[in-house]
Amino acid sequence: NKQTHAIKVYQADNAQLAKHEACFLSSINHVNIPAFNCLDSINGKFVIVMDYIAGYSLYELIGDNRIFESRELYHITIGLV
């Protein structure tokens, strides 16, 4: 059973931010938020390894400045709660 993971890379000067995000991810369990696997350091950069969730990110959904219908906004919001 292979599982796909996502890796988020932080520059060394953002170590504190990486640690905060790792702490946040490890403290929650939500279907629409990736599960935390580990925080590590590689070549002076911090990396967070988390489960990969297929689909669009919230940034991708709102990034094209499109106008959403009420029903779409409802489903996006419910997915975050």
Side-chain angles (χ1 to χ4, degrees), residues 26-68:
S26 67
S27 70
I28 58 173
N29 182 15
H30 189 281
V31 67
N32 290 328
I33 297 177
F36 171 80
N37 286 281
C38 71
L39 172 67
D40 205 346
S41 176
I42 301 173
N43 296 328
K45 297 179 181 179
F46 284 88
V47 295
I48 294 177
V49 180
M50 59 192 112
D51 290 352
Y52 175 77
I53 299 176
Y56 296 101
S57 69
L58 184 57
Y59 179 78
E60 289 170 323
L61 286 173
I62 63 175
D64 61 2
N65 293 322
R66 70 180 255 228
I67 298 172
F68 292 93

